[in-house]
Amino acid sequence: MRAPGPAAGLVADHCHKLIGLLGPAAESTLRDIVAQCGQPLRVLLVGDVSTGKSTLLNALLSDSRAETAFKETTSRVTWYHGPHLGALGLPDPSHRAVAAGFPLADRLVLGDSPGLNTSSENPDETRRMMGGGDLAGAAAAFVCVLGTGLVSGLWAKHLEGLAALSAGPFDLVGNMVLVMAKIDLIDDDIGNLERRTRDSTPLAFRFAGVNQLMAAAARTGAVDGRTLAVLDALRALPSFEAWPPESWPEVADDLSGLFSDTDLKAFEDSVGAPELLPELVRATADMDHPSAVAAVFERMSGLAALESVLADIAEDADLFTTTAVLLRLRRLAARLPDDPAAQVRSAIAAVTSSRQYQDLWPRAAARLMRHTSVGDGLDPDDLDTALRLLSGLTCPPAAAAAALTRWSARSADPFADSRTRHLARLVQDAALRVLAEPGSEETP
Ligand SMILES: Nc1nc2c(ncn2[C@@H]2O[C@H](COP(=O)(O)OP(=O)(O)OP(=O)(O)O)[C@@H](O)[C@H]2O)c(=O)[nH]1
Ligand SMILES: [Mg+2]
């Protein structure tokens, strides 16, 4: 298992001591912080009712664990975790834990949550996790599953609030992943949607478009011999060249008598919009095994791109988890009477002055350079060397020396903004560390 790492480990040590010092007043929050520091990155799926969160979760789990339906369905927060974690420490007694082996289980704990835009009390826990209550920060990253089309003004505000609350001092990027859901129902090009969304909010977010139905079908064994039979029958239709069909009843008419209603419904529920059928039928021509067809479903679903974003975030679990738990500790201190609050604040100060915490800065800087406009305009070699230095990867001394010259000039540039100067100093420090290593002076 990949637990977050040294900085989160240090927070956990301090919280253990605080539990002894502070007693019951803060115990449940502190215990959950300790649990969070020892677990893989907690990622919560959030979004409005019926945007397809649970369907997406099933795809990520490669298993139909979560209930899905075209009505308000999920009523409590459920955390899915690798079975190797044993009994999972949970943020709140109302939450549930389910052990499941899934592709990213060694790196993530995935939470499904009730939809937000409802007057029922189901989403109360989700709101507390997003909005500054005791539970805020119990998830260190969020996958925001958005309904079809552009991001609404309301959601942009939600996301900006969530980012402001969870970014911490590192100006963190990457803990907010925006998923444009049900892409089969979207006419617009996904790249355009992403660009327009980025233009409409200053938020730095990661982005993926997913057809969750195809993703879940590909991953849960729903692509089977019946799927192949329906695709073959569609391919054999005399009207095939005159497609696309506009509705599922129209497809059912074309195939009347060949399949049961149940089989056709199962097929519809694994594809989504009928407009996808021409592409699907063509892409699966000559395929005679469900696993080959499932691979086409997988490709058309876009799920792999989302998984690679999640895997990338998990690489910096220490950064994200430490940020989240320190923010939780700050909120805890704000709620406590003076003396215990001072003890919590001194634990925070001990962490933030530690080597382990200082080592998080270059990691955060590398993220800023990769995922925001900070890296724009840099020569690709320059950017590559800076990222290698910040990520602690091997870097030839000659390249480190050249980077030191360039980035020293940037850090001293009085016209650069303070964030750029700070980043430049971090690259300088990393270059100096490489040049101080034994043997570096011998290399030309
Ligand atoms: N067309 C299409 N429909 C989808 C897709 N993903 C999910 N759905 C349908 O959307 C409906 C809601 O899916 P759920 O996964 O239950 O949605 P949810 O966001 O978990 O809903 P709540 O738990 O009530 O908040 C179901 O009828 C799904 O079949 C998709 O990619 N395309
Ligand atoms: Mg649900």
Side-chain angles (χ1 to χ4, degrees):
M1 175 193 92
R2 276 196 241 175
L10 188 65
V11 177
D13 292 345
H14 281 281
C15 287
H16 265 306
K17 287 186 205 128
L18 286 171
I19 291 171
L21 291 170
L22 304 186
E27 185 168 347
S28 63
T29 304
L30 290 170
R31 284 210 184 282
D32 184 52
I33 291 177
V34 171
Q36 185 171 4
C37 289
Q39 291 166 5
L41 187 73
R42 284 185 188 167
V43 179
L44 186 71
L45 273 67
V46 294
D48 286 342
V49 168
S50 283
T51 46
K53 299 177 293 299
S54 300
T55 311
L56 177 60
L57 195 105
N58 285 335
L60 291 167
L61 295 178
S62 301
D63 198 353
S64 304
R65 293 291 184 120
E67 199 191 338
T68 62
F70 199 67
K71 62 179 174 57
E72 187 175 343
T73 309
T74 306
S75 61
R76 61 205 281 211
V77 175
T78 303
W79 295 98
Y80 295 86
H81 63 90
H84 57 286
L85 295 181
L88 198 76
L90 288 177
D92 191 85
S94 72
H95 293 194
R96 204 162 63 102
V98 173
F102 56 98
L104 292 170
D106 64 333
R107 287 175 259 184
L108 303 176
V109 173
L110 288 172
D112 191 14
S113 69
L116 286 163
N117 58 337
T118 160
S119 54
S120 78
E121 56 191 41
N122 288 341
D124 285 356
E125 298 308 320
T126 321
R127 291 199 190 100
R128 280 175 58 212
M129 293 185 69
M130 293 175 68
D134 307 359
L135 284 177
F142 297 87
V143 170
C144 306
V145 183
L146 298 166
T148 48
L150 267 184
V151 178
S152 69
L154 179 66
W155 259 99
K157 286 277 157 295
H158 266 326
L159 294 171
E160 284 162 23
L162 197 54
L165 197 83
S166 64
F170 297 109
D171 211 357
L172 208 54
V173 288
N175 73 327
M176 218 62 63
V177 184
L178 222 133
V179 169
M180 199 55 69
K182 307 189 185 180
I183 52 170
D184 52 295
L185 300 179
I186 300 177
D187 284 337
D188 211 342
D189 172 71
I190 296 302
N192 275 341
L193 270 181
E194 176 177 359
R195 260 188 305 283
R196 299 219 312 267
T197 307
R198 289 197 189 281
D199 288 346
S200 69
T201 165
L203 183 76
F205 55 82
R206 309 291 295 276
F207 184 92
V210 180
N211 172 338
Q212 305 100 291
L213 286 180
M214 283 191 132
R219 295 281 181 98
T220 61
V223 177
D224 56 16
R226 286 173 311 167
T227 318
L228 267 65
V230 175
L231 288 169
D232 281 342
L234 288 170
R235 210 171 285 118
L237 283 176
S239 59
F240 177 63
E241 290 306 325
W243 275 15
E246 281 176 0
S247 70
W248 284 105
E250 202 182 302
V251 176
D253 269 356
D254 284 346
L255 299 178
S256 66
L258 293 175
F259 300 94
S260 69
D261 289 351
T262 317
D263 283 354
L264 284 178
K265 181 75 178 94
F267 184 78
E268 175 183 339
D269 286 346
S270 65
V271 173
E275 287 83 351
L276 296 186
L277 289 175
E279 181 184 349
L280 183 62
V281 166
R282 287 194 187 96
T284 54
D286 304 327
M287 290 185 179
D288 54 9
H289 200 276
S291 62
V293 175
V296 174
F297 274 63
E298 166 93 21
R299 174 181 62 70
M300 288 176 68
S301 77
L303 185 68
L306 172 62
E307 276 187 332
S308 70
V309 168
L310 293 174
D312 172 67
I313 296 174
E315 285 297 308
D316 276 328
D318 200 28
L319 172 63
F320 291 108
T321 297
T322 303
T323 304
V325 293
L326 285 178
L327 291 170
R328 289 183 82 180
L329 283 175
R330 288 210 170 91
R331 280 181 213 114
L332 175 67
R335 289 202 310 273
L336 290 171
D338 287 353
D339 285 352
Q343 284 170 316
V344 174
R345 290 201 181 96
S346 89
I348 295 172
V351 172
T352 53
S353 59
S354 70
R355 176 84 251 154
Q356 294 91 318
Y357 181 84
Q358 295 304 322
D359 284 348
L360 298 176
W361 282 105
R363 307 285 311 189
R367 285 195 170 270
L368 272 176
M369 262 190 218
R370 259 189 270 130
H371 302 301
T372 69
S373 56
V374 167
D376 289 0
L378 290 177
D379 168 84
D381 285 344
D382 189 5
L383 180 64
D384 183 60
T385 308
L387 289 174
R388 295 191 74 78
L389 287 166
L390 291 170
S391 307
L393 299 172
T394 49
C395 178
L404 181 61
T405 309
R406 280 194 302 272
W407 290 89
S408 300
R410 280 183 196 126
S411 76
D413 179 356
F415 296 107
D417 61 51
S418 57
R419 185 162 78 166
T420 304
R421 286 205 305 271
H422 185 194
L423 285 177
R425 279 196 300 278
L426 290 166
V427 180
Q428 255 181 295
D429 289 349
L432 283 169
R433 270 198 298 279
V434 168
L435 294 172
E437 279 165 14
S440 64
E441 68 282 355
E442 289 154 23
T443 317

